[in-house]
Amino acid sequence: MGSALIGDEIRVSIDCDAAIVTARQKGRALASQCGFPSTDLAVIATAISELARNIVRYAVHGEIILRLLDDNGKRGVEVVAVDEGPGIPDLALAMQDGYSTSGGLGLGLPGTRRLMDEFEIVSDFGKGTTVTVRRWKR
Amino acid sequence: MNPELRELAQRYAGALHDYLVGRGEAALQEAYDLGRKALGQGLGVHDLATIQHRALLKALLTARTRKEASRTIRGASKFFVESLLAFEMSHRRSQEVNAALRESEQRYRGLVDTARDVIYTLSTDGTIKSLNPAFETITGWSRTEWIGKRFSPLVHPDDLPRAAELHRAVLEGQVPPKFELGILTKSGAWIPGEFVATPLVQDARVVGVLGVARDITDRKRAAEALRHLNEGLEEEVKRIAHALHDEAGQLLASVHIGLAEIARDLPSHTAQRLEDVRGLLDKIEEQLRHLSHELRPTILDDLGLRPALEFLADGVSRRTGLKIAVEGAPGKRLPAPTETALYRIVQEALTNVTKHAQATGVSIRFTRSRRLLRCVVQDNGVGFDVSAVSARRGARGLGLTGIQERLHAIGGTLDIVAAPRNGTELIINVPVEADSAESDSPRG
């Protein structure tokens, strides 16, 4: 990606539901610095919720990393969810709606992909999963 | 309000209240979870708006000042946006799914509209639900003339019982093999259609029949032309065989008599040389007779299939040392094309055995049920790989294609049971007329 990182990244360790709230709060605060309207803050917080929920559910422990980006004057927020859990054996399958019950409703990873502007996922079976999402200011 | 909705409404009101009294992000996360839960329970956006509306009214009732009321409204709207996002994700998914469905629908629509075969669907009671444009091209009917009507008037009356039976079978979930039905065209003519029908399944339930029908008029004509050609060839061969056997034979007999007369008037040493010439003439006569029988055994016309095959087997046995047994009887005389086809097929099969099978014995067995004549040619030779040889169509295909074409013309079928090193069995089934009297009488 040709975008530069602005300022320090924020890392939130995720191991319980309370940590999800912390990650949301920090993500919302960071995006708000960048001037995102409050309805967009809700979108970013939701993406954090879904990614962090996945960590708690499938990997037990992991991290949410939050960054502010600048791509030729275009501002954005990047959320990275990293875990060292079991990994996803079949990514294409995991990205299909209906893979899990929440996916069937269009939530979970597929839902997060639709909510955000960019979505990348890397998973090594047995080594963990990294999901990166970005949302750019309109 | 149903109990689930009421419970959710209570939790929503509680969470909104918590948010308004300063629980911040945790309350917003709860709002999101409530939205997620509502979606999971099958509640709609309107249900959620109803809950929001009630919770907001309740919160406003307890507001003491204008400022407090304004804070309540701002907070509630933020809370509402949060809880809607689960629905937003689900909504976007529906849009994506719909777009994919539309694309897939267009692709299939394109296939169906440009197909050269008729593609149709029927309801369980036999009502035509859909037809593609090929129906109009092939039958001359307009689709609107038939959609919504029963299919039965389109099917030839003789084929109707079978059509109804197949319809029932497909509705029971079966996929019958290809079948033929006569189909009525707008001009009143009947055309032969070859059908494939499968159950139309919706939500794991058979709701009708999906079928594909092909106009096989051309194929039928080609088969008919081939049959004519074969018959013509047989006639020609018969004529030549007759000319060789009878006419040339009679001429030779006259030559014999002439030579005998000349021999009487000649001195004995010259008469001996003439005798040698007569010996040569005998050989020519023998060869002519042999050739004529190879071409067309008159015995087939005169005595029927079994004696003709015995004669053929005897000849092959003597030439090759192969033991050949003819067992069973084909029953009463069959139509000439059927007898000829079977004779030629067995002849071809025996040629195959002598050329390729390295067998020591062959049996030719006939069994006849009421409407079916079965002829099995089985050898004890090296066998072969059926799929490999069948794939090698044409000239090198052991003449199997020829056998199949001959059988096709008389409505018969061929099955081959063979494996390398395990002998070969040709199973030939031919439909025949019901057999009452069993006899091998000459044809009137």
Side-chain angles (χ1 to χ4, degrees):
Chain A
M1 301 292 116
S3 46
L5 181 64
I6 313 168
D8 292 334
E9 58 184 28
I10 298 164
R11 289 174 171 261
V12 183
S13 175
I14 302 292
D15 52 9
C16 61
D17 286 355
I20 300 179
V21 175
T22 310
R24 280 172 56 101
Q25 197 166 28
K26 300 215 159 143
R28 198 189 285 272
L30 190 71
S32 152
Q33 272 177 39
C34 193
F36 274 104
S38 75
T39 43
D40 276 22
L41 300 185
V43 167
I44 291 161
T46 297
I48 295 170
S49 278
E50 289 296 331
L51 296 177
R53 187 192 297 269
N54 254 9
I55 293 177
V56 175
R57 186 155 168 208
Y58 296 110
V60 185
H61 180 261
E63 208 173 22
I64 293 280
I65 304 162
L66 304 159
R67 296 174 181 135
L68 275 187
L69 304 176
D70 185 311
D71 182 12
N72 296 321
K74 194 170 69 169
R75 291 294 184 93
V77 168
E78 181 176 87
V79 180
V80 185
V82 189
D83 70 58
E84 288 171 6
I88 301 169
D90 186 343
L91 271 185
L93 190 66
M95 288 309 292
Q96 261 173 33
D97 295 297
Y99 177 63
S100 64
T101 44
S102 53
L105 300 167
L107 305 173
L109 287 180
T112 312
R113 175 178 66 74
R114 293 193 186 97
L115 224 42
M116 302 298 273
D117 295 322
E118 289 170 31
F119 182 99
E120 287 153 30
I121 181 165
V122 179
S123 187
D124 280 334
F125 188 50
K127 285 188 183 163
T129 305
T130 303
V131 185
T132 307
V133 296
R134 295 182 197 92
R135 173 113 180 160
W136 299 100
K137 217 178 120 188
R138 300 291 185 271
Chain B
M1 237 187 218
N2 67 42
E4 283 158 22
L5 209 58
R6 188 171 303 126
E7 194 226 313
L8 202 68
Q10 272 163 13
R11 283 185 53 198
Y12 191 93
L16 177 61
H17 179 259
D18 289 352
Y19 178 61
L20 293 176
V21 298
R23 246 186 85 218
E25 191 64 44
L28 285 178
Q29 159 79 359
E30 196 169 351
Y32 174 62
D33 275 342
L34 285 169
R36 232 176 176 271
K37 187 150 195 270
L39 184 67
Q41 286 182 349
L43 300 178
V45 179
H46 182 258
D47 294 326
L48 197 75
T50 307
I51 294 171
Q52 151 89 7
H53 181 70
R54 282 163 185 254
L56 181 58
L57 281 181
K58 199 173 154 197
L60 282 175
L61 279 177
T62 55
R64 282 172 301 246
T65 63
R66 237 186 124 87
K67 203 175 157 196
E68 218 175 282
S70 143
R71 189 170 60 96
T72 299
I73 289 170
R74 262 185 288 122
S77 72
K78 207 166 165 187
F79 200 79
F80 189 51
V81 168
E82 201 77 32
S83 57
L84 274 183
L85 275 168
F87 289 90
E88 171 72 12
M89 281 193 268
S90 201
H91 172 64
R92 289 190 187 189
R93 170 189 178 245
S94 305
Q95 283 179 320
E96 257 183 41
V97 168
N98 282 344
L101 275 178
R102 257 199 311 278
E103 196 190 316
S104 146
E105 155 89 23
Q106 271 165 6
R107 209 166 38 234
Y108 281 104
R109 173 66 43 203
L111 275 176
V112 169
D113 283 354
T114 54
R116 283 159 65 182
D117 293 345
V118 176
I119 300 172
Y120 63 91
T121 52
L122 304 175
S123 67
T124 49
D125 67 355
T127 304
I128 300 173
K129 303 301 279 184
S130 71
L131 290 163
N132 68 338
F135 174 77
E136 303 190 339
T137 323
I138 291 172
T139 65
W141 297 106
S142 142
R143 283 182 280 173
T144 49
E145 285 174 282
W146 285 99
I147 290 173
K149 302 217 172 75
R150 298 295 176 93
F151 74 81
S152 32
L154 276 173
V155 176
H156 193 281
D158 293 351
D159 295 337
L160 255 186
R162 210 157 45 89
E165 190 184 311
L166 286 158
H167 187 67
R168 266 196 304 278
V170 174
L171 290 179
E172 281 165 16
Q174 299 173 31
V175 180
K178 283 190 288 198
F179 55 94
E180 271 183 48
L181 299 174
I183 295 300
L184 182 65
T185 62
K186 181 145 192 170
S187 67
W190 297 95
I191 52 172
E194 184 184 76
F195 286 74
V196 180
T198 55
L200 191 63
V201 179
Q202 240 166 46
D203 300 326
R205 223 162 43 87
V206 179
V207 295
V209 174
L210 167 67
V212 179
R214 175 170 296 183
D215 176 8
I216 54 167
T217 309
D218 290 348
R219 198 208 292 166
K220 286 254 173 194
R221 273 197 202 124
E224 182 63 16
L226 192 66
R227 207 173 57 78
H228 264 293
L229 213 60
N230 265 335
E231 274 172 17
L233 271 176
E234 275 311 322
E235 280 306 312
E236 190 68 1
V237 163
K238 218 189 272 189
R239 200 184 58 75
I240 294 169
H242 180 79
L244 280 176
H245 188 266
D246 294 2
E247 291 163 24
Q250 272 173 20
L251 279 174
L252 277 174
S254 312
V255 174
H256 262 298
I257 295 166
L259 284 178
E261 279 171 8
I262 296 169
R264 257 185 295 152
D265 302 340
L266 287 176
S268 62
H269 70 279
T270 326
Q272 184 52 48
R273 280 168 59 198
L274 208 55
E275 201 53 36
D276 294 345
V277 173
R278 281 177 64 182
L280 284 175
L281 272 180
D282 281 341
K283 276 191 185 152
I284 291 174
E285 205 180 349
E286 171 62 31
Q287 285 210 348
L288 275 180
R289 189 164 41 237
H290 186 72
L291 201 58
S292 117
H293 280 146
E294 291 271 301
L295 275 172
R296 171 83 196 184
T298 45
I299 199 168
L300 179 60
D301 300 317
D302 298 338
L303 296 179
L305 189 55
R306 171 145 185 173
L309 287 177
E310 275 168 356
F311 175 82
L312 173 71
D314 190 47
V316 175
S317 263
R318 268 192 279 144
R319 271 208 308 279
T320 64
L322 199 63
K323 270 193 192 149
I324 306 174
V326 183
E327 298 156 17
K332 74 168 179 183
R333 294 299 298 267
L334 306 164
T338 307
E339 287 193 338
T340 304
L342 283 171
Y343 180 82
R344 294 293 180 213
I345 287 165
V346 174
Q347 194 174 32
E348 180 71 39
L350 289 178
T351 308
N352 278 343
V353 173
T354 53
K355 271 200 213 156
H356 308 287
Q358 300 164 38
T360 56
V362 181
S363 75
I364 302 161
R365 283 193 309 277
F366 285 99
T367 40
R368 179 156 182 180
S369 60
R370 256 178 70 77
R371 289 180 180 277
L372 197 74
L373 174 62
R374 169 171 293 188
C375 169
V376 177
V377 182
Q378 187 175 19
D379 70 54
N380 61 357
V382 293
F384 65 97
D385 181 346
V386 178
S387 53
V389 171
S390 306
R392 208 168 61 195
R393 295 184 68 97
R396 309 204 80 75
L398 289 183
L400 292 176
T401 331
I403 291 180
Q404 241 139 9
E405 276 166 5
R406 277 186 189 280
L407 273 176
H408 195 76
I410 55 169
T413 59
L414 170 71
D415 290 295
I416 307 168
V417 182
R421 290 180 303 283
N422 220 353
T424 302
E425 200 177 357
L426 297 191
I427 303 163
I428 295 143
N429 284 310
V430 180
V432 288
E433 285 192 0
D435 187 12
S436 44
E438 293 234 343
S439 72
D440 262 340
S441 59
R443 212 191 310 279

